[in-house]
Amino acid sequence: MGISDIMRLDVTSVWLVLSVVAVAAGVFYLYSLILRHLAKTTVRNKVVLITDSLSTLGNECAQLFHTGGARLILCGSNWEKLETLAERLMTESDPALTFPPKLVELDFSNMESVPDVISEILECYGCLDVLIFNSSMKVKAPVQCLSLEMDRIVMDVNYFGPITLVKGVLSSLICRRTGHILLVNSIQGKLTMPFRATYAASKHAVQAFFDCLRAEVQEYGITVSTVNHTFIKTPSTNSEDEITAKSVWTDVKPNSLGVTPKEMATELLKTLNSKKKEILMAHSISKAALYVRSLFPNLFFAIMAKGVRNTAAVEMPDD
């Protein structure tokens, strides 16, 4: 093979690589256009409530739905940060195609304020079309290290807060015979792990509530969807509301097993369009664990206990 033949092969290889890159870029661009169109047709003019707009996921949802022309009601525990978020959304969008977000200060850890907040929410537009429950408080620690006071706070944020809000607006949805309720819930609403007893208990409770609610409100044209995920990737390892206990169970979190906020927001948008009842955003390891828990519970319990014993051995100080 001569030098000219080799050069022709090199040129052919380069063109082949460039062609693949161009096709991939075209597919990605087409997907972006489809997603933008889906956002516009799915949430355009719809009143959409996001319970924790200040979280990473909440920010992503607010951006996606605002661009799609939704009438947003953004909730969060910090008024100044809500105003900053609303200003950013308005600055980055076309005011002729979007609506200024309504802001409501909401803190599920203060349950006494929730009834007044519900009234304020209903006064924003007089109705609701979509409710996204994405508030969550994470606690990771051995059972004996958590006080009952902390247990109650976690249950307020993860369970009593969401169900109080949905009960407060449910009559409005039933009267209009329409609405879509989305619960963003951890996979620990279906699967338990050591050192997460309180967190998993709250997630199981809220999962069961919304599963029951789904059947009860279907005859009124109301859809209830639950989206269970492994964990949402964030820039920081631990969130501000997260308590950690040093153990291999709590410190090791393979980044490949999580989902990005953008992926989650996109999935929520697709769920609004498809009205799918239940979505599991988990990789093969997590899905396998769910099957093992259902089909071989004793094996699952043994694996969990073995992990705890290994943790204790790792943390045992040397004599």
Side-chain angles (χ1 to χ4, degrees), residues 21-40:
V21 171
V23 170
V27 170
F28 179 77
Y29 178 71
L30 183 61
Y31 174 75
S32 300
L33 289 179
I34 293 173
L35 188 61
R36 244 183 256 126
H37 177 72
L38 181 64
K40 291 178 180 179

Side-chain angles (χ1 to χ4, degrees), residues 45 51 73 78 128 148 201:
N45 294 321
T51 61
I73 302 177
N78 187 299
L128 290 169
L148 283 175

Side-chain angles (χ1 to χ4, degrees), residues 189-214:
K190 294 177 172 292
L191 186 73
T192 60
M193 293 186 68
F195 306 109
R196 295 164 171 84
T198 299
Y199 178 70
S202 68
K203 292 301 181 179
H204 269 68
V206 76
Q207 180 79 31
F209 179 90
F210 279 85
D211 282 347
C212 293
L213 179 65
R214 178 187 296 115

Side-chain angles (χ1 to χ4, degrees), residues 5 12 32 43 52 66 77 94 100 123 139 157 194 261 267 282 286 319:
D5 293 330
T12 303
S32 300
V43 300
D52 185 8
H66 179 73
S77 58
D94 184 352
E123 288 173 359
V139 178
V157 174
E267 187 62 41
S286 301
D319 291 333

Side-chain angles (χ1 to χ4, degrees), residues 97-110:
L97 302 175
T98 58
F99 300 93
K102 303 282 188 179
L103 308 180
V104 176
E105 193 168 352
L106 171 63
D107 184 1
F108 282 144
S109 64
N110 179 15

Side-chain angles (χ1 to χ4, degrees), residues 40 45-46 76 105 108 111 142 160 188 201 233-234 250 253 266 273-274 279 288 291:
K40 291 178 180 179
N45 294 321
K46 297 288 182 66
E105 193 168 352
F108 282 144
M111 287 299 297
F160 285 111
Q188 292 183 65
K233 301 175 186 177
T234 58
T250 61
K253 184 184 285 187
T266 302
N273 186 60
S274 67
I279 298 92
Y291 289 125

Side-chain angles (χ1 to χ4, degrees), residues 149-214:
E149 180 182 0
M150 178 55 67
D151 291 341
R152 292 189 182 98
I153 293 174
V154 174
M155 289 299 293
D156 280 346
V157 174
N158 293 352
Y159 175 69
F160 285 111
I163 74 164
T164 301
L165 177 53
V166 79
K167 285 187 175 188
V169 302
L170 193 56
S171 59
S172 172
L173 299 178
I174 291 175
C175 287
R176 299 178 65 235
R177 303 188 76 83
T178 186
H180 199 148
I181 302 170
L182 289 95
L183 172 68
V184 179
N185 201 23
S186 168
I187 196 173
Q188 292 183 65
K190 294 177 172 292
L191 186 73
T192 60
M193 293 186 68
F195 306 109
R196 295 164 171 84
T198 299
Y199 178 70
S202 68
K203 292 301 181 179
H204 269 68
V206 76
Q207 180 79 31
F209 179 90
F210 279 85
D211 282 347
C212 293
L213 179 65
R214 178 187 296 115

